Amino acid sequence: MKIALVHKKYTTHGGTERYMVGLSHFLAKEGHEVHVFTGFWDEKVVHEDIKFHKVSFWGKHLGVSKYIFAKNAYKKVYKYDFDIVQTFSRVGFGDIIRIGGGCHENYVKKLLASIDNPLYRLKKKLQYQISIDDYLTRYYEVKDFKAENYKKIVAVSQMVKDEIINRYQVPPEDIFVNHNGVDIEKFHLRNREKYRKIIRSKHGLNENEFVLLFLGTGFQRKGLRYILKAMAQIDNAKLLVVGKGKIDRFKKLAKNLGILSRVIFVGPSSEVEAYYAAGDVFVLPSIYDPCANVSLEAMASGLPLITSKSNGASGIIDHGKNGFVLNSADNVEQMIEYINVLKDSSLCVQMSKVAREKMLNYTKKNNHDKMLSIYYKIANR
């Protein structure tokens, strides 16, 4: 097949971007003619059999870059005859539109509701209301879901599919759910033998300590403060915080809660698989996450997962078997209950095995094969 993939950037920085790179390589290796339409591509990750088309766009500081890219991409793509045109949301066209970010209005509402300070919440609300970039995000999202602008929608979780149906009345049969795939060789139980003692020793943790792991960028949206509040009521546990965020603010909160000595702020790491190996339980009470990749990576690494219903990855948890789902991100009491249950080492080990087994059905290859099967359905139709 002759396939066009359309997105502003072709790089491994960013979830959607990494997915596009992986999918494009898979399609090229399968012998398909792959064309990438993008404003920027990283030469380090370019596949020799993929053809690149430069789409000019500008105006990021003015908030109009979405409009410029969408307009120019449309003109360039439809100069050619493709069997499949796949876009990655918010450009308003495509045979297949992959929705990796959920519905913007839901994201904004949940983010605003999570802000405790009423003045700051009002400030952020006004910023969204007057932002040109935010207006264009909503404009192109509406355009994506008009029946004449797509053939099929691909959602990264059932949560996202439900949002699209409820918000835009898209027929359920028009939406396929294809969860993000995980590298089950990189994220593996055997990493414990390789990394566990090294990472624990590096951070002053002994082998017998019960260690919770939080990993993610954007501590506010990922619900770190709720974990800290839970830690204040949990004995004999340590917390590793890995990722990029406003560390000083959360260190201050940990200090005020009297738990700073039990919380280790690691910062960003390029070897996240080593930190999964060092933890016992992965906790991610996200305020909003369409399908957090770290959830899948943690489970593939053999960590029971505690996350919220607002994380689309919660849809693949068998509650009580390989993890627990919080009714809401801020349900601290429920989080405490689940963490205490997992202090039972025999149960934790059992759930670890089940978590790993579950992820064998959510590999990158499974994801790519499913995407290709959707292509064939559309092309044959």
Side-chain angles (χ1 to χ4, degrees), residues 294-361:
V294 292
S295 305
L296 311 184
E297 293 170 359
M299 292 177 72
S301 302
L303 291 182
L305 172 64
I306 298 174
T307 193
S308 60
K309 284 184 178 179
S310 299
N311 175 8
S314 64
I316 63 176
I317 291 179
D318 298 313
H319 188 78
K321 295 181 180 180
N322 52 21
F324 294 100
V325 181
L326 303 167
N327 290 333
S328 61
D330 61 354
N331 195 327
V332 174
E333 293 303 318
Q334 199 174 35
M335 193 188 310
I336 293 167
E337 177 189 344
Y338 296 150
I339 290 171
N340 283 328
V341 166
L342 286 166
K343 278 188 174 181
D344 180 334
S345 59
S346 59
L347 176 62
C348 198
V349 169
Q350 176 59 30
M351 290 182 73
S352 169
K353 293 177 181 177
V354 179
R356 169 67 185 177
E357 289 169 2
K358 182 78 172 186
M359 286 303 101
L360 299 180
N361 297 318

Side-chain angles (χ1 to χ4, degrees), residues 162-263:
D162 292 341
E163 283 185 9
I164 295 169
I165 293 169
N166 293 334
R167 178 76 179 85
Y168 295 103
Q169 290 75 54
V170 174
E173 61 272 19
D174 285 1
I175 308 173
F176 287 92
V177 174
N178 193 14
H179 291 90
N180 296 332
V182 64
D183 185 339
I184 59 169
E185 291 304 312
K186 180 178 180 180
F187 303 102
H188 200 287
L189 278 168
R190 61 172 171 260
N191 287 339
R192 293 192 177 190
E193 296 178 11
K194 184 177 180 180
Y195 296 116
R196 190 176 180 87
K197 287 184 179 179
I198 295 172
I199 295 298
R200 286 196 168 213
S201 177
K202 179 180 179 179
H203 297 291
L205 299 166
N206 66 51
E207 180 59 27
N208 297 321
E209 287 188 281
F210 182 69
V211 177
L212 304 173
L213 176 67
F214 168 94
L215 194 155
T217 297
F219 296 163
Q220 171 76 10
R221 181 168 63 88
K222 304 288 183 179
L224 176 57
R225 72 180 185 275
Y226 304 130
I227 305 176
L228 296 178
K229 289 179 179 179
M231 281 287 292
Q233 301 180 58
I234 295 172
D235 297 323
N236 303 319
K238 298 285 182 71
L239 173 65
L240 277 172
V241 178
V242 183
K244 187 178 180 181
K246 295 181 179 178
I247 289 177
D248 289 342
R249 178 197 296 178
F250 290 91
K251 273 188 175 180
K252 183 178 179 181
L253 176 58
K255 184 178 180 180
N256 291 340
L257 290 168
I259 59 169
L260 186 57
S261 63
R262 295 194 289 125
V263 181

Side-chain angles (χ1 to χ4, degrees), residues 24-32 34 47 49:
S24 65
H25 284 208
F26 166 79
L27 294 170
K29 288 175 183 176
E30 290 290 308
H32 299 284
V34 181
H47 189 286
D49 293 329

Side-chain angles (χ1 to χ4, degrees), residues 83-119:
D83 296 305
I84 294 291
V85 174
Q86 178 172 346
T87 58
F88 293 81
S89 82
R90 294 168 187 161
V91 292
F93 68 90
D95 296 318
I96 295 175
I97 303 177
R98 178 182 180 269
I99 309 300
C103 291
H104 186 65
E105 184 176 311
N106 288 28
Y107 161 73
V108 171
K109 281 183 177 178
K110 290 191 176 184
L111 200 63
L112 290 175
S114 72
I115 298 173
D116 295 327
N117 186 313
L119 290 177

